[in-house]
Amino acid sequence: WFQRLATGLKRSSDQLTGGITAVFTKKRLDEAMLEELEDVLIQADFGVETATSVTDALRRDRFDRDVTTAEVRAVLAGEVARVLAPVARPLDIDPAHKPFVILMVGVNGSGKTTTIGKLAQKLSAEGKSVMLAAGDTFRAAAIEQLQVWGRRTGAPVVAKPTGADASGLAFEAVTRARAEGSDVLIIDTAGRLQNRDELMSELEKIVRVIKKVDPTAPHATLLTLDATTGQNALSQVEIFGRRAGVSGLVMTKLDGTARGGILVSIARKHGLPVHFIGVGEGVDDLEPFKADDFARAIAG
Ligand code: GDP
């Protein structure tokens, strides 16, 4: 699957490689080149710290010596892998919880519903029984979309008409999943950003109500982040992380962006586990996150 990841990250890595190649027109490494390289990395959303670590390493080891773009990319890949290694952690579905409750949160359009579908597919393929709950009760399209994913993956979907109370639906879903002995329940949620406070209160209420059925739930609260939004993703981690108790991240749309470096900024700033990355719209386009592979794919 490394090839698919590399293809997905092609826009990020092409832009980066282009930027690096443009900087290293001369062979001997000088201060001007290091400064330009720093700019290229910051533009690519890697963040100031990572940009500085890379240029510091080059200054220390290579200053006034011949350096190739391949060597520069290798230093970058090493730094990216080093930052990402501690956050690359698989999503552990503890079978002691039946169901293992996953709450999916994120702003509209971040890929929440698609990720739920992909995850349902993955878990079903592992032999787990999965139930879905259409908790974005505001949008008819979201309910319908989840039902489509349910049919596609064979997962039953708990849904109510548009406008229904989301926490009531979550309560019903946990109760039903428990009664039916489902291994995993994935609950979709609304992602309106127009009224942030209202949205966060609703998420808090869903969590409170879920706990009435199972005080240990939700067992994972996953935030989907759209990589194409770049720096916006950083503030979303802040907002959702604080109020919704996010336990892990899924970075989506890494295939459609030149801003894949944002994952490195987020890892450095927040240190939250990154469980999966989305590299396409298809059902199989969700991959467990691996630091080394990502670093190699993005650094080209
Ligand atoms: P939600 O509003 O957060 O539930 O977002 P959706 O799941 O409806 O996704 C919004 C759009 O992004 C849809 O057109 C998806 O097909 C698309 N999408 C989701 N994940 C990915 C991904 O990893 N790569 C690409 N290219 N598109 C994605």
Side-chain angles (χ1 to χ4, degrees), residues 114-181:
T114 309
T115 301
I116 291 175
K118 293 171 175 175
L119 203 50
Q121 170 81 4
K122 206 175 258 307
L123 297 173
S124 304
E126 289 170 12
K128 297 185 173 74
S129 57
V130 181
M131 189 180 282
L132 308 178
D136 185 354
T137 53
F138 279 86
R139 295 189 306 148
I143 301 171
E144 210 158 284
Q145 201 189 337
L146 202 73
Q147 276 162 335
V148 170
W149 280 112
R151 280 195 291 279
R152 202 177 285 168
T153 60
V157 179
V158 182
K160 282 185 174 184
T162 327
D165 174 45
S167 52
L169 179 107
F171 183 87
E172 240 181 79
V174 184
T175 309
R176 184 173 150 197
R178 175 177 271 193
E180 295 187 13

Side-chain angles (χ1 to χ4, degrees), residues 42-268:
I42 291 169
Q43 297 271 305
D45 288 301
F46 282 92
V48 176
E49 291 93 340
T50 299
T52 316
S53 319
V54 170
T55 47
D56 281 352
L58 286 167
R59 189 180 288 108
R60 189 182 60 228
D61 300 336
R62 299 264 156 184
F63 200 77
D64 207 22
R65 294 179 27 202
D66 288 353
V67 60
T68 65
T69 56
E71 285 166 333
V72 175
R73 296 210 309 254
V75 171
L76 173 63
E79 175 65 12
V80 168
R82 192 186 64 76
V83 174
L84 292 179
V87 301
R89 296 221 295 273
L91 175 66
D92 274 327
I93 308 273
D94 182 353
H97 300 298
K98 234 171 155 40
F100 185 90
V101 179
I102 301 174
L103 193 63
M104 292 292 293
V105 303
V107 305
N108 278 346
S110 63
K112 214 174 339 133
T113 312
T114 309
T115 301
I116 291 175
K118 293 171 175 175
L119 203 50
Q121 170 81 4
K122 206 175 258 307
L123 297 173
S124 304
E126 289 170 12
K128 297 185 173 74
S129 57
V130 181
M131 189 180 282
L132 308 178
D136 185 354
T137 53
F138 279 86
R139 295 189 306 148
I143 301 171
E144 210 158 284
Q145 201 189 337
L146 202 73
Q147 276 162 335
V148 170
W149 280 112
R151 280 195 291 279
R152 202 177 285 168
T153 60
V157 179
V158 182
K160 282 185 174 184
T162 327
D165 174 45
S167 52
L169 179 107
F171 183 87
E172 240 181 79
V174 184
T175 309
R176 184 173 150 197
R178 175 177 271 193
E180 295 187 13
S182 307
D183 295 317
V184 182
L185 169 68
I186 312 176
I187 304 175
D188 196 6
T189 61
R192 302 153 297 144
L193 255 202
Q194 302 88 300
N195 193 328
R196 190 181 287 170
D197 267 339
E198 206 179 292
L199 173 58
M200 294 305 153
S201 309
E202 184 175 290
L203 290 176
E204 285 166 349
K205 188 170 167 202
I206 291 173
V207 170
R208 275 202 308 279
V209 169
I210 290 173
K211 286 191 187 304
K212 288 189 185 164
V213 191
D214 180 351
T216 66
H219 306 104
T221 299
L222 306 186
L223 173 65
T224 49
L225 294 168
D226 177 344
T228 63
T229 64
Q231 298 294 318
N232 270 341
L234 269 171
S235 59
Q236 285 164 20
V237 180
E238 218 139 88
I239 296 162
F240 280 91
R242 201 158 4 101
R243 295 278 303 266
V246 171
S247 64
L249 306 175
V250 178
M251 175 70 72
T252 66
K253 308 191 201 180
L254 275 168
D255 53 308
T257 181
R259 321 187 71 174
I262 192 66
L263 194 48
V264 180
S265 294
I266 290 170
R268 235 187 227 279

